[in-house]
Amino acid sequence: MTTVFGVDIGGSGIKGAPVDLDRGALAQERHKVLTPHPSGPDEVIAAVREVVRHFDHRGPVGLTFPGVVVDGRTTTAANVDKGWIGLDAAARFSEALGLPATVVNDADAAGIAEVTYGAGRGRGGVVLLLTFGTGIGSALFSDGVLVPNTELGHLELRGKDAERRASSAAKERHDLSWPEWAGRVDEYLDLVEMLFSPQLIVIGGGVSRKHEKFLPLLKERRAEVVPAELRNDAGIVGAAMAATLQPTVPAAEPPVGH
């Protein structure tokens, strides 16, 4: 069994587990802590260290981040503290953990997992994974090749970021019923379908656990719309995959006192 550790950093929670990459599944039950507020680098890194040390893990760690990540550096921070912008996050995590670290966009990680092990497996053409949570994350694939950091939750819809209207957080914030929220999701799917003409749209994020409450309410469209098979574990699995697919930042000596 090939196991690598994956950590999924979200706007509300940070969860991680060893991942069995032969099966594309968690090797142990995941451990979750609440995302600290403020969610600056120091606070989040401390929470990640708690998750990793819960398993006494030694070895490479893959981590997701809810924003654009280029060469391990976080360049946007829509749903976490602005102190992440421009940070060499991979180096900071590696230093704090004393382990090799790889950082990727959270939706890209979930997408990599779904096209390898889940709902997008073996599917050609344009496949779009959308994660509905604190915001809306996106992962766009053409014949299995990822276009990284698409961030389609920030497309403009009715004069504001689409995720302000159609994320699952927006459903809670506005106390929307499932049919009311499904109408907003449909409006957003109309937009991405017009722009990218996907053959398959995979719906992920925490709300995918309740897909039977809203997917049947969505209107018929050209694209096939299906729930993510890995549900909310896709980010953890994809993070672990990224640690094997991308160059990691080598382990640094942990700081004195850690």
Side-chain angles (χ1 to χ4, degrees), residues 227-252:
E229 289 182 11
L230 279 68
R231 302 289 190 265
N232 212 20
D233 290 340
I236 298 174
V237 173
M241 292 175 67
T244 68
L245 297 171
Q246 296 191 14
T248 57
V249 172

Side-chain angles (χ1 to χ4, degrees), residues 1-256:
M1 183 172 69
T2 306
T3 57
V4 179
F5 203 88
V7 179
D8 191 11
I9 299 170
S12 59
I14 297 171
K15 49 193 182 292
V19 175
D20 177 357
L21 292 180
D22 297 331
R23 296 186 301 119
L26 305 191
Q28 297 181 49
E29 187 175 342
R30 69 188 190 184
H31 181 64
K32 180 177 180 178
V33 299
L34 294 178
T35 301
H37 294 283
S39 52
D42 290 345
E43 294 86 358
V44 170
I45 288 168
V48 166
R49 193 166 57 230
E50 178 185 338
V51 170
V52 175
R53 287 186 174 174
H54 175 82
F55 295 90
D56 195 26
H57 172 75
R58 307 301 300 172
V61 177
L63 307 106
T64 75
F65 180 79
V68 173
V69 182
V70 179
D71 295 330
R73 191 174 290 274
T74 47
T75 65
T76 69
N79 294 307
V80 288
D81 189 87
K82 303 306 179 194
W84 287 95
I85 297 174
L87 187 75
D88 189 345
R92 286 288 304 275
F93 281 116
S94 178
E95 179 185 34
L97 297 171
L99 301 170
T102 304
V103 182
V104 293
N105 172 267
D106 56 351
D108 286 350
I112 291 167
E114 282 293 329
V115 300
T116 304
Y117 303 106
R121 185 175 185 179
R123 296 292 293 259
V126 177
V127 174
L128 178 62
L129 172 115
L130 297 169
T131 59
F132 290 82
T134 307
I136 298 175
S138 60
L140 181 67
F141 297 84
S142 177
D143 289 331
V145 178
L146 173 69
V147 180
N149 294 307
T150 46
E151 292 289 282
L152 301 183
H154 300 299
L155 289 171
E156 186 176 313
L157 191 63
R158 295 184 182 244
K160 60 180 70 173
D161 274 9
E163 67 181 21
R164 297 291 298 167
R165 282 188 55 78
S167 66
S168 59
K171 178 186 184 301
E172 295 171 13
R173 188 166 59 246
H174 298 294
D175 196 24
L176 301 175
S177 67
W178 287 108
E180 287 170 335
W181 185 64
R184 293 190 178 201
V185 172
D186 258 332
E187 189 178 29
Y188 174 66
L189 295 182
D190 287 344
L191 178 60
V192 295
E193 193 171 49
M194 178 189 71
L195 291 171
F196 300 101
S197 302
Q199 280 87 57
L200 177 67
I201 298 174
V202 181
I203 304 295
V207 76
S208 63
R209 292 193 304 270
K210 302 175 182 176
H211 62 87
E212 72 284 348
K213 292 185 178 292
F214 67 94
L215 283 190
L217 303 176
L218 300 179
K219 70 182 186 184
E220 287 287 319
R221 57 182 65 249
R222 290 192 308 275
E224 182 183 359
V225 182
V226 300
E229 289 182 11
L230 279 68
R231 302 289 190 265
N232 212 20
D233 290 340
I236 298 174
V237 173
M241 292 175 67
T244 68
L245 297 171
Q246 296 191 14
T248 57
V249 172
E253 287 299 316
V256 175

